Amino acid sequence: MTDIAKRQDSLRQTLIAAKVVPVLTIERVSDAVPLARALVAGGVCTLEITLRTAAAIDAAKAVIAEVPDAIVGIGTVLSAADFEQAHKLGARFTVSPGATPALLEAAAKSDLPLLPGVATASEIMQAREYGFDTLKFFPAEQAGGRAMLRAWGGPFPDLRVCPTGGITEANAAEWLSEPTVLAVGGSWICQASYIRAGDWAGITAMCLRTMKALSKPLSLG
Ligand SMILES: O=C[C@H](O)COP(=O)(O)O
Ligand SMILES: CC(=O)C(=O)O
């Protein structure tokens, strides 16, 4: 196995174990640790902290230092420089909404896994050229949903994805039941209104409900 294949395999195992990856937008650094603890208490330990706010870097540092059970990934990685910043922070993986050759090249050479975003067959082909076959399907619902994913199964039988964008409590189990889906991602599990209100118990309750629903066999009736 090449180094990149090993990293992609390890990312696959992380995602399979996680089932759900909350996409976190943290506005206040002081929310980061209680939020991460609330998610971990609800059985959701693999987190994506997006680089969408001024607080993101310090929030990620705080969670990495103070919540050892959290597996912290950095999301909204838009460039090789963002990727390097995530590496310096000690992130366990990185996530990008799309993928440029510069980002894929930087990640292909690094020991830090990247989950690159794709929404078209050409983007999948580009990611594969750099060795990436474990991908984020973004924005999943808006870009064609599960029908699109099944259509990709023909030309790309080895493709495995974490869909995000439009995943909700109502459709998460259906997405996870797709054989090519390793885990589902999204913001529904840690909504901004809960974070703003400091409703950590509410977030833990949502996580527990979600993890319970995702551990049941899907009813086809
Ligand atoms: O991956 C990041 C997306 O912004 C999450 O989408 P969502 O808010 O529809 O869950
Ligand atoms: C959407 C996405 O992949 C991200 O912000 O990381």
Side-chain angles (χ1 to χ4, degrees), residues 23 52 136 138 164-167 186-188:
V23 177
R52 298 184 193 181
K136 165 163 170 147
F138 175 78
T164 35
I167 313 296
S187 61
W188 90 94

